């Protein structure tokens, strides 16, 4: 089985079907998505910036030092993963729907 993501086909190994099935069962939490797009950094050098606008090196630093506890830490970790995997354009497309 091959998957296409805008580039060459990616071959799936035997364990991939299980991983894909688990990923497909996930339902997005719209409240978290809204928070991701609207929350601002409450402290530090980038206080007042939207979490999605934080520079990647700052998020990498948090990754090494440890993300804060609670919802803020979860959202910062999510932003880190999005940027790490080059998915910033996904966030930009979703901003259109958030007032």
């Amino acid at each position: 089985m091959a998957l296409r993501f805008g580039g060459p086909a990616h071959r799936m190994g035997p364990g991939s079907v299980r991983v894909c099935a688990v990923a497909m069962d996930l339902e997005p939490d719209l409240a978290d998505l809204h928070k991701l797009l609207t929350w601002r950094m409450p402290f530090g050098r980038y206080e007042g910036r939207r979490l999605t606008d934080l520079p990647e090196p700052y998020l990498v630093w948090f990754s090494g030092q440890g993300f804060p506890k609670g919802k803020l830490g979860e959202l910062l970790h999510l932003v880190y993963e999005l940027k790490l995997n080059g998915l910033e354009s996904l966030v930009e497309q979703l901003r259109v729907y958030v007032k």
Side-chain angles (χ1 to χ4, degrees):
M1 176 180 222
L3 296 176
R4 291 196 181 273
F5 295 104
H10 298 279
R11 293 278 168 210
M12 293 174 53
S16 300
V17 173
R18 184 180 62 77
V19 171
C20 286
V22 169
M24 289 167 50
D25 285 341
L26 297 176
E27 293 183 27
D29 184 339
L30 296 180
D32 280 353
L33 183 58
H34 188 265
K35 289 175 188 171
L36 179 73
L37 296 168
T38 59
W39 273 24
R40 295 183 181 271
M41 192 64 185
F43 60 83
R45 181 177 185 178
Y46 298 102
E47 182 176 354
R49 273 204 201 179
R50 285 187 181 159
L51 299 182
T52 53
D53 292 337
L54 294 172
E56 189 172 343
Y58 188 60
L59 296 166
V60 170
W61 179 83
F62 266 119
S63 168
Q65 298 296 315
F67 291 100
K69 302 259 187 243
K71 185 52 84 177
L72 176 63
E74 291 174 22
L75 293 173
L76 286 171
H77 189 237
L78 180 56
V79 172
Y80 167 73
E81 290 293 333
L82 288 169
K83 290 188 180 226
L84 182 69
N85 291 293
L87 299 173
E88 295 99 332
S89 63
L90 175 66
V91 173
E92 292 305 316
Q93 292 172 16
L94 292 173
R95 277 191 197 193
V96 175
Y97 300 103
V98 176
K99 303 288 182 200

